[in-house]
Amino acid sequence: GEANPIEDGGYPALGGAGSITVTASGGLVYNNITNNGHGGGIHIVNEFYGTSITSSCHVEVKDVAEIYNNKCYGNGGGVYVNGGDFVMNGGTIGKSSYPNIAHHGNGGGIAVDGGNITINNGNINYNQAKFENNTGGFGGAFALTGGIATITGGIISYNNADRNGGGFWVDVASASFITTIKGGATVANNTAVNGAGAYVNQGQLVI
């Protein structure tokens, strides 16, 4: 059966007073369900008091850590980021028979509404963004609606979006938020109705 059905982030939702640093160099985040929110596996936020940040989260995934078979009924089947930093230096997000899925949401692997993400290495594969209840279905691997994303390495492949952006879906209104994909990264064999590799609705994608 399915495990850990909760509202936001099957793994602990990271936020609160002070600074929080989590490093996953091994172990598994799998088989979690977020029933009515974002981040099937991990949910990362900064907390605010007024306009001041009261907590700052830093999450690093590396080595043989695996995030797979997580589901959310919102954005970010594997990981949801809205503030703080998410860094991937290895590990896996999504597996062939065990994808992370965003049901009627965006970002099967990772959804970013704010903060900074850096992908230096690792595999982001076989994740799915589902178009259901007349909503969602954008960004099989990544859905980027805010924040700054820098992809310097890793393999992003075999992800699927029911609508647009099998690998990347970028829909960022602010010119200060830029998505950059550098030469060390491989984006291949993703599928979507439009933009199997990447689809930019608004914003900046630099390759």
Side-chain angles (χ1 to χ4, degrees):
E2 302 291 356
N4 300 334
I6 64 174
E7 292 299 306
D8 264 316
Y11 199 66
L14 304 175
S19 296
I20 300 171
T21 299
V22 176
T23 301
S25 58
L28 309 174
V29 179
Y30 75 103
N31 204 35
N32 301 289
I33 303 172
T34 300
N35 282 325
N36 189 27
H38 306 310
I42 300 175
H43 184 119
I44 306 164
V45 301
N46 276 345
E47 297 291 337
F48 287 84
Y49 180 79
T51 58
S52 299
I53 295 176
T54 58
S55 74
S56 178
C57 298
H58 177 87
V59 176
E60 179 185 9
V61 173
K62 63 180 183 178
D63 299 337
V64 293
E66 295 182 323
I67 301 170
Y68 65 92
N69 203 39
N70 301 289
K71 301 175 179 66
C72 72
Y73 292 83
N75 299 327
V79 179
Y80 174 77
V81 184
N82 190 11
D85 301 297
F86 178 78
V87 179
M88 189 172 181
N89 287 317
T92 298
I93 298 177
K95 300 173 74 172
S96 60
S97 299
Y98 303 101
N100 298 297
I101 302 173
H103 288 282
H104 57 77
N106 305 317
I110 302 173
V112 184
D113 283 339
N116 298 283
I117 71 163
T118 304
I119 310 297
N120 296 316
N121 203 351
N123 298 293
I124 303 172
N125 302 333
Y126 300 103
N127 301 288
Q128 301 174 17
K130 294 290 190 181
F131 177 63
E132 299 166 339
N133 298 330
N134 204 36
T135 190
F138 296 111
F142 292 89
L144 301 141
T145 59
I148 297 172
T150 304
I151 320 300
T152 67
I155 298 173
I156 297 114
S157 63
Y158 299 104
N159 302 284
N160 178 73
D162 280 356
R163 297 173 81 182
N164 299 334
F168 293 83
W169 179 64
V170 180
D171 188 12
V172 182
S174 173
S176 62
F177 296 148
I178 301 172
T179 299
T180 304
I181 304 173
K182 298 188 176 180
T186 298
V187 182
N189 300 309
N190 301 289
T191 55
V193 174
N194 297 296
Y199 185 95
V200 181
N201 192 54
Q202 62 177 337
Q204 298 186 62
L205 174 64
V206 178
I207 300 175

